[in-house]
DNA sequence: TAACCTTGAGCAATATTATGTCGATAATTG
DNA sequence: CAATTATCGACATAATATTGCTCAAGGTTA
């Protein structure tokens, strides 16, 4: 739809930053063989156009005591606008939910939930089950991360 | 297992950085009401202990022409060490796979795959189906992101 | 109580960064 | 081919950031 707007230099900047979000402009410039001034111009443009939505630190969940990641498939009772809006608002307020998508297939939503332990998960499940618009959930516990938060293929 | 190692000041630093990974040390210090020197000491410690695993720019997939996100459940033919190792090595090399976990439940793996369009997905599926250790895959297309890459609950 | 350990505040020196300007060059378009 | 536009490299500057050092305060332990 729009990737024609970005030349290979833009992509190199984006790729450098998705691998190390704290690179300074001069470091990026050096890495992609460009001088700092045009590099900064491009970077600012990419930020303004919201191609870069933000920056974040990648934290180690286990070391923070968040040892449990669960993928939860949710089916709603009805797909009325109210049900959908209510469910999504609830999901957005739940801090344990770090990712949520509507999906094709037999489930309506796929959520990624992060909690400390089984007890924390139990508490969260009770919250979700109290939502009247939820018909059914199926939990799949992440046993091991094979690949996490890898860079996008640019 | 280990969150006793972090006091509330550490958590404030981590929380600030997972929301804005480019904050300077002085900005973090101001945000959490601490002077820059101890703030930097803590930050460096958190980096050295790999509580902070790195930093990354959050890119807008749609604007980059990566309009399709697919969650793929994979079942293996056998769970021999060779099958597992071979499959995981293949997954790690596929750039379209941005997340991969082994999971409980009927599937062995849950993958998140990012491609430009259906054609790109078709190409990827053929790659995966050529792996002899793969018995079956089920694709669930992400229709809409309700929540993406939200901060961890600290 | 005294010694000790941890952690914070303040300050200074250094290094680094972001950012604007300007002329040159390359690409594009009519 | 000429004119226009876009983009680059180089340089200068001003603002910021990082980092080390020292001293003080608070809490802990023997």
């Amino acid at each position: 739809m729009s990737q024609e707007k970005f030349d290979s230099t833009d992509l190199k900047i984006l790729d450098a930053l998705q691998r190390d979000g704290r690179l300074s402009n001069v470091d990026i410039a050096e890495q992609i063989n460009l001088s700092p001034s045009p590099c900064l111009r491009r970077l600012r443009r990419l930020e303004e156009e919201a191609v870069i939505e933000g920056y974040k630190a990648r934290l180690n969940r286990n070391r923070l005591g968040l040892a449990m990641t669960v993928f939860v498939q949710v089916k709603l009772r009805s797909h009325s606008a109210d049900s959908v809006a209510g469910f999504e608002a609830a999901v957005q307020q739940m801090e344990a939910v770090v990712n949520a998508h509507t999906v094709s297939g037999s489930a309506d939503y796929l959520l990624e939930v992060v909690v400390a332990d089984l007890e924390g998960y139990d508490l969260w499940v009770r919250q979700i089950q109290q939502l009247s618009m939820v018909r059914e959930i199926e939990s799949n516990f992440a046993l091991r991360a094979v690949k996490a938060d890898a860079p996008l293929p640019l």
Side-chain angles (χ1 to χ4, degrees), chain A:
Chain A
M1 175 192 284
S2 59
Q3 68 275 40
E4 302 302 325
K5 295 181 57 178
F6 309 111
D7 61 17
S8 81
T9 305
D10 286 330
L11 295 181
K12 283 180 195 165
I13 293 173
L14 295 171
D15 196 43
L17 277 172
Q18 73 171 342
R19 289 167 201 278
D20 181 356
R22 297 213 73 159
L23 281 174
S24 72
N25 178 59
V26 290
D27 286 338
I28 302 168
E30 185 180 7
Q31 205 170 110
I32 70 176
N33 291 322
L34 189 69
S35 69
S37 3
C39 188
L40 184 69
R41 262 197 301 270
R42 284 167 179 269
L43 173 55
R44 290 289 175 258
R45 182 168 54 81
L46 293 168
E47 286 174 342
E48 275 166 25
E49 293 179 357
V51 184
I52 298 176
E53 295 179 335
Y55 301 88
K56 72 177 319 187
R58 278 178 27 228
L59 306 184
N60 186 308
R61 298 177 183 185
N62 289 331
R63 298 211 185 204
L64 289 163
L66 297 168
M68 190 162 288
T69 297
V70 192
F71 295 97
V72 183
Q73 292 173 292
V74 179
K75 297 184 195 177
L76 294 192
R77 230 175 266 286
S78 106
H79 299 91
S80 69
D82 280 2
S83 283
V84 167
F87 176 75
E88 295 188 2
V91 156
Q92 273 159 353
Q93 287 198 328
M94 291 193 270
E95 293 196 324
V97 179
V98 298
N99 278 295
H101 289 81
T102 61
V103 289
S104 70
S106 61
D108 295 313
Y109 291 90
L110 177 60
L111 314 181
E112 179 179 352
V113 178
V114 176
V115 290
D117 47 31
L118 267 178
E119 186 187 331
Y121 188 64
D122 182 47
L123 288 171
W124 180 83
V125 165
R126 291 189 196 185
Q127 280 194 303
I128 242 245
Q129 283 173 339
Q130 276 183 336
L131 296 175
S132 60
M133 63 287 273
V134 171
R135 180 202 298 274
E136 184 185 340
I137 75 171
E138 182 184 326
S139 302
N140 294 101
F141 291 83
L143 307 175
R144 184 167 44 89
V146 176
K147 200 172 189 179
D149 218 3
L152 298 176
L154 300 184

